[in-house]
Each structure stands twice: as structure tokens, then as C-alpha cells.
Amino acid sequence: SSINPVYLMPDALRTRNADIGQALVAAMAMGAGQFCTSPGVVFAVNGEGFEEFIDAARAALNRQVPQTMLTPAIAQAFKNGVDTLAMHAGLLAQGVDSGQPNQCRAHLFVTEGDDWAKNKPLQQEVFGSSAVIVRCRDFEQMQALTEQLEGQLTASVHASEHDDLMILKKLVSQLERKAGRILFNGFGTGVEVCSAMVHGGPFPATSDARTTSVGTAAIERFLRPVCYQDVPNNILPSVLASTKDV
């Protein structure tokens, strides 16, 4: 379970609002949103560039064609999920309706920070192409809402070199306790299988935040310690056995 929060810092929102809006829709629609790292919530302070970001995301989503989901049960769960979101947040835009069965019609919602804080359904994962944009009064409210988050797989921060360094440090310090992977100026959708990659996070994103399911360190997930005490040398596993009798 992970809603993979996205944070839009003031200068990035002011200077790259349209690009971020389009990229958000592309990320949430990838694979019909059937990625556990798909963005599910976007926090942004209401200020310069916010409405332009909203407009760009709306325009991109209105053109988004539906995609077939993995199973009918997953498609039905997605429909139930967006119906629940619609009960607690305003519908900003939705993708094209094909009229065909088991299709994921992308949905984007918007709500105020106070409303997000008091509505648990808005804080739950909806597996599929959907996200909730949360309009925050200020950075302090963004921090307070972040404290309400459960454990996450990823957290994405969109910022520029002109954004307040101390604010960014405070946010990253929070996210270190909330997510297994923190990335800047991108989205968590998709991973690279490499030694540096971590695909895990605090509960309920994963059951054990100490391990990862992607990358070379993933071997730890499939191992458990075994102690061989006073076991005869010729019975020990070869990697432990001495080359001479002891």
C-alpha cells in the first residue's frame, strides 16, 4: 500500500508548472496506473503557478485514452476506489471513456489541505490511474499533512536551485522517516535494477522496511540466518567447511 506523495516547491511550481502537470499525468497513467510506485497524491502550496499547473494537468488528462487493467476484479476495485474519492474531493478531470469493459479511465481530483487531513479515504491507495491534488495554505500545513502519511515506497520532490534550502532540508528530513526512496524532479514510477535502487519502505508500504525487493540488496529478502554449532566438518555446507580437519 503506497500513495507515493509528490511535493511541488514554490519556484518549481512557478517556472515549470505546465511541464510538471503533463509529466504527472504521464506518470499516473503509465501501465493504467498499475505500478506500486504510481503517484497518488500531490501536495502544493496555493500560490504562483498553481492554477497553471492545474490547467496543464487537466488538459493532459482530458486527452488520456483508457487502458485495459490486469483483471476484471482489479478494474472493479479501481472503479470503486475513484467513486469513493469522488465522495470526498472535487473531480478535476477524467480521461476518455471507451465504453469497453475492464478499462482504466484516469481520474484526477483536487481538495483543500484541511479536507484531505480529515478524510481518511483520500489518504488510501487506489490501484490504477488516479491522484488527488492537495492545495496547501503554506509550507507549515504541507509539513503537518506529511506527518499524517503512513509508510511509503517513494516520495518525489519537484524543486529548483532557487527554492528555500532550509525548507527543502526540513521536508527531506520528514520524508526520510516516511519513504524508502526519495527522488527529486521526477516520479517514482518504474525502477532500475541496480545496486543503488531501493524498492521498499516503512509499513504499510512493505512489511519489512529493512529490505528491498529490487536491486542487488534484494537477496537479503530471500535469506535467513542459520547457526551451525559443533556440526562436523564433512556435514557443513561447502562454503563453511574447513579445507582441513579440525
Side-chain angles (χ1 to χ4, degrees), residues 1-235:
S1 175
S2 185
I3 57 175
N4 306 296
V6 177
Y7 296 84
L8 307 185
M9 295 295 101
D11 193 66
L13 188 60
R14 181 180 64 82
T15 59
R16 295 190 281 117
N17 45 71
D19 290 342
I20 296 173
Q22 294 167 12
L24 168 67
V25 171
M28 61 179 276
M30 183 181 293
Q34 296 170 116
F35 286 81
C36 47
T37 54
S38 183
V41 61
V42 181
F43 296 111
V45 174
N46 188 25
E48 186 178 359
F50 183 87
E51 292 301 330
E52 290 81 0
F53 160 71
I54 289 285
D55 291 342
R58 179 192 292 115
L61 195 62
N62 284 338
R63 299 189 299 268
Q64 184 64 44
V65 297
Q67 301 175 64
T68 303
M69 304 198 80
L70 291 170
T71 69
I74 290 175
Q76 184 59 52
F78 171 73
K79 183 180 183 304
N80 294 341
V82 294
D83 286 347
T84 299
L85 292 178
M87 295 171 60
H88 300 277
L91 178 62
L92 179 66
Q94 55 188 340
V96 177
D97 184 8
S98 70
Q100 300 300 311
N102 305 324
Q103 298 287 290
C104 177
R105 186 183 187 188
H107 286 66
L108 191 58
F109 299 88
V110 64
T111 190
E112 302 298 322
D114 290 337
D115 294 326
W116 188 89
K118 64 186 180 184
N119 283 289
K120 284 293 184 182
L122 297 180
Q123 304 170 28
Q124 303 302 310
E125 179 186 26
V126 175
F127 190 66
S129 296
S130 70
V132 179
I133 298 172
V134 181
R135 191 195 323 254
C136 303
R137 289 189 304 272
D138 48 34
F139 180 71
E140 286 69 28
Q141 184 178 45
M142 183 183 289
Q143 280 191 295
L145 298 181
T146 299
E147 284 302 314
Q148 289 190 220
L149 288 171
E150 297 181 317
Q152 304 294 324
L153 291 172
T154 72
S156 304
V157 181
H158 289 259
S160 79
E161 61 183 18
H162 299 295
D163 279 305
D164 190 305
L165 183 60
M166 291 308 299
I167 285 179
L168 287 173
K169 285 184 175 180
K170 289 179 182 179
L171 180 60
V172 170
S173 179
Q174 276 187 293
L175 297 180
E176 287 170 348
R177 295 182 285 106
K178 296 291 184 176
R181 178 175 158 221
I182 302 169
L183 57 148
F184 268 58
N185 297 323
F187 294 90
T189 312
V191 296
E192 179 182 353
V193 181
C194 63
S195 297
M197 179 53 64
V198 172
H199 187 65
F203 183 83
T206 53
S207 57
D208 188 345
R210 298 169 299 177
T211 61
T212 173
S213 59
V214 174
T216 56
I219 189 65
E220 298 291 341
R221 184 166 290 214
F222 303 98
L223 299 176
R224 67 177 178 86
V226 176
C227 174
Y228 296 89
Q229 183 172 341
D230 295 332
V231 177
N233 193 62
N234 59 353
I235 298 177

